[in-house]
């Protein structure tokens, strides 16, 4: 259950970014929106224990994005990324040029001994992979723990790649898991999600969100790197698996033929095995309180959201000893909070995109008597196929476990 613990108030303006600095009281704040609390060309260090600003970084242009890990801060500007080392003092470490990056795309691995920082490349659709000094492991707090701290991984056998030509069009998202072992990218076409090996630069998997163009807002790896989720302006959250065990991604029935026939790449695509459609705002409002929409209001904003993974301890007796389960949390821009569990899949259920081809005996009757018989059988088969298709579609939907609504009465909006 979602419980309200603490809500610090920053009055006098709006923010576009609030990023916590790992294992500390520091928050990095960037002003923006209708009435910026701080100038948009500054990154403000806010000490939440003191309730005050303790430092700031000022630039000659607007800050587009920020990312951090223990001891490090990266700031994305329009055509460059600047990295700072944060300790007793804040020192400028290095900077890298990028192509035009209005969204401020960058991502940083945060696990112990990780080194990866990914930023936009100098060419359209390219990604630069920067390896910083290894991230220090966290200092244990509280009673002494007998277990030994994690050991650093062995150095790579080959020198890591520094550039990946990920897409032919402009990048829209960059995402890495905490380990930095993988990298997920999307482009302005919004149809494909590509997953890369960050050391070799090789394409590991390619997933298809859909066939029509979309603006993908984000991609999030599950903490154990077995799945990832994608969300876009279509209002649907898609979940893909990265491992062979467990549920499998959907594929066309023609995909086994792609090694032998020159079929379009579409037929070899992997589609999400689970999804959830974010309801529009009107579905959460009673009929006695109709929605008054501004003529300039953007309709997709009702379903625009940010999605992340959480680990939930199940209290259900059917769960294996109350084992934790990974679930999704979606927070919409209009204040909707959704907690979603993934569908339970049975191995016997097939998941394909194309309808099965009818048998030749069912479509080539020889007599009138057989025609009526075959048509009735075909009708029953079609009805059964529709039921199975409906059942399969329902089984792919994530299950809403909890919903909350926030508004101006609790500081939202």
């Amino acid at each position: 259950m979602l419980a309200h613990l603490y809500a610090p108030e920053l009055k006098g303006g709006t923010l576009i970014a609030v990023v916590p600095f790992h294992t500390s009281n520091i928050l990095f704040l960037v002003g923006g929106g209708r009435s910026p609390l701080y100038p948009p060309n500054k990154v403000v260090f806010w000490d939440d224990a003191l309730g005050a600003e303790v430092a700031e970084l000022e630039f000659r242009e607007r800050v587009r994005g920020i990312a951090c890990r223990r001891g490090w801060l990266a700031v994305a500007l329009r055509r460059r990324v600047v990295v700072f080392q944060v300790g007793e003092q804040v020192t400028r470490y290095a900077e890298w040029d990028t192509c035009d990056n209005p969204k401020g795309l960058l991502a940083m691995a945060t696990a112990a001994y990780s080194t990866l920082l990914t930023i936009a490349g100098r060419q359209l659709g390219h990604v630069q992979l920067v390896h910083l000094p290894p991230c220090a492991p966290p200092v244990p707090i509280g009673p002494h723990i007998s277990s030994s701290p994690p050991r650093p991984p062995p150095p790579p056998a080959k020198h890591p790649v520094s550039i990946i030509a990920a897409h032919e069009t402009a990048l829209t998202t960059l995402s890495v898991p905490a380990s930095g072992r993988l990298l997920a990218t999307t482009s302005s076409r919004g149809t494909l999600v590509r997953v890369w090996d960050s050391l070799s630069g090789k394409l590991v998997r390619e997933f298809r969100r859909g066939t029509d163009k979309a603006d993908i807002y984000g991609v999030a790896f599950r903490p154990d790197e077995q799945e990832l989720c994608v969300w876009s302006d279509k209002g649907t959250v898609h979940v893909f698996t990265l491992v062979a065990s467990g549920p499998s991604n959907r594929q066309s029935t023609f995909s086994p033929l792609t090694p032998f026939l020159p079929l379009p790449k579409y037929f070899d695509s992997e589609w999400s095995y689970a999804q959830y459609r974010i309801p529009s705002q009107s579905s959460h409002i009673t009929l006695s309180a109709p929605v008054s929409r501004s003529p300039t209001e953007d309709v997709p904003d009702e379903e625009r959201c940010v999605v992340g993974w959480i680990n939930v301890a199940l209290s259900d007796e059917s769960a294996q000893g109350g084992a934790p389960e990974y679930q999704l949390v979606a927070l919409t821009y209009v204040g909707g909070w959704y907690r979603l569990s993934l569908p339970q899949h049975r191995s016997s259920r097939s998941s394909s995109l194309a309808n099965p081809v009818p048998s030749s005996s069912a479509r080539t009757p020889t007599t009138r008597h057989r025609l009526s018989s075959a048509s009735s059988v075909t009708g029953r088969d079609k009805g059964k196929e529709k039921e199975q298709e409906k059942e399969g579609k329902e089984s792919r939907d994530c299950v809403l476990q909890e919903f909350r609504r926030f508004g101006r009465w609790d500081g939202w909006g």
Side-chain angles (χ1 to χ4, degrees), residues 227-230 236-241 247-250 271-276 328 341-343 345 393 395-398:
E227 294 178 338
L228 61 80
C229 66
V230 182
T236 304
V237 181
H238 296 271
V239 184
F240 301 86
T241 181
S248 58
N249 298 321
R250 293 177 295 141
W271 300 69
S272 61
Y273 84 88
Q275 61 185 34
Y276 184 80
L328 294 171
S341 63
L342 300 175
H345 283 256
K393 186 175 181 181
S395 70
R396 294 195 300 268
D397 290 338
C398 296

Side-chain angles (χ1 to χ4, degrees), residues 30 58 116 154 177 180 304 311 333 338 360 379:
V30 180
E58 185 174 0
L116 184 64
R304 195 170 184 179
N311 205 352
Y333 280 36
Y338 302 81
S360 57

